Amino acid sequence: MDIEESERRINCYIKSAFQALVQAIIPPTPCLTDTFRVVFHPGALEFKVYRYVIWILNHSISYPVKLKINVQSMALSTAELLDHGADQLINTCQNVYPVNIMRFPYGGSFSMLSKIDRLRALTLIDKLEINTNYIKPPYQNNPDLIRQMTAVLNQLTMFGFYSEWTGYGTTSQCPPNQRRLEYFPPGWIMSKYPGPAYAYRDFRGFLAYITHEKEKK
């Protein structure tokens, strides 16, 4: 296997892991219409929020620090952490539904779990009910970072879904100073956020009324 093929497989593995993650955290939501039909509002997977999570993870640590702690990709290390939680869930027979290798074909054990079981695997990770000795850096024997990451993964999914990121379109993977809103973000519509308001003056204190000397008389 050449280097290019190896990188492609790793990227597909990472993508599948975070597709499974965001789908479990914010799945499509059913809604009853006026005609009593059930339609589904898109979830984080449909809005490709996994791209946001991967981008943030891979750009959250500077290159010199990555070399120091022996981490090539924070997204890859985190995907492997998710698999450790899934393995623990499966090995202890705590999964509610059988694994399905066709859910996200390029992913690991976490991607094979049902949505509810993926959340249960995250809970095991958060409770540190996994063997941290066999996890790769930076999570190896680092329980504080592991617990922080479980919270961060939830927060990043929420940020990516409800923030302006989904409206960046083709510029979503660009550096922040090069991103541009290409359309009104769906997350803003769902949360009924009207969008930013420009040209407001800065707050300059409360209005004070001073009685003129003539008025006192």
Side-chain angles (χ1 to χ4, degrees), residues 174-192:
C174 297
N177 62 332
Q178 297 178 16
R179 296 173 186 168
R180 298 292 182 272
L181 280 178
E182 296 181 349
Y183 52 87
F184 201 82
W188 287 3
I189 298 174
M190 297 181 70
S191 61
K192 298 182 180 180

Side-chain angles (χ1 to χ4, degrees), residues 8-175:
R8 188 188 71 83
R9 286 179 177 271
I10 292 174
N11 289 335
C12 288
Y13 165 74
I14 294 172
K15 178 181 177 181
S16 294
F18 288 100
Q19 283 179 326
L21 174 75
V22 301
Q23 185 194 51
I25 295 176
I26 306 181
T29 53
C31 179
L32 189 65
T33 66
D34 295 336
T35 57
F36 300 102
R37 293 187 303 109
V38 176
V39 296
F40 284 85
H41 291 301
L45 175 62
E46 289 72 27
F47 285 147
K48 298 181 173 56
V49 175
Y50 58 88
R51 292 182 177 178
Y52 171 80
V53 179
I54 293 172
W55 194 93
I56 292 295
L57 288 176
N58 281 337
H59 291 80
S60 60
I61 302 177
S62 64
Y63 183 71
V65 175
K66 287 182 180 179
L67 291 178
K68 185 176 180 179
I69 63 177
N70 192 26
V71 172
Q72 294 181 345
S73 166
M74 195 66 180
L76 175 59
S77 298
T78 306
E80 292 172 344
L81 176 65
L82 294 174
D83 279 346
H84 277 283
D87 291 340
Q88 179 67 13
L89 188 80
I90 297 169
N91 292 337
T92 55
C93 300
Q94 297 185 58
N95 50 306
V96 177
Y97 298 99
V99 298
N100 185 343
I101 62 174
M102 297 308 296
R103 286 195 173 98
F104 299 94
Y106 299 102
S109 54
F110 181 81
S111 304
M112 299 177 190
L113 297 174
S114 65
K115 290 192 287 290
I116 186 64
D117 285 328
R118 289 173 224 158
L119 297 179
R120 292 166 68 88
L122 276 175
T123 300
L124 291 183
I125 296 172
D126 185 60
K127 291 182 177 179
L128 301 176
E129 295 182 11
I130 55 176
N131 193 331
T132 60
N133 295 322
Y134 298 104
I135 302 176
K136 294 182 181 178
Y139 300 112
Q140 188 177 49
N141 297 319
N142 196 340
D144 290 339
L145 180 60
I146 291 174
R147 299 195 69 178
Q148 290 173 9
M149 184 52 65
T150 56
V152 166
L153 292 176
N154 279 280
Q155 293 167 1
L156 289 180
T157 302
M158 295 292 181
F159 292 161
F161 186 77
Y162 288 108
S163 72
E164 73 279 3
W165 184 85
T166 52
Y168 286 141
T170 58
T171 66
S172 63
Q173 299 293 296
C174 297

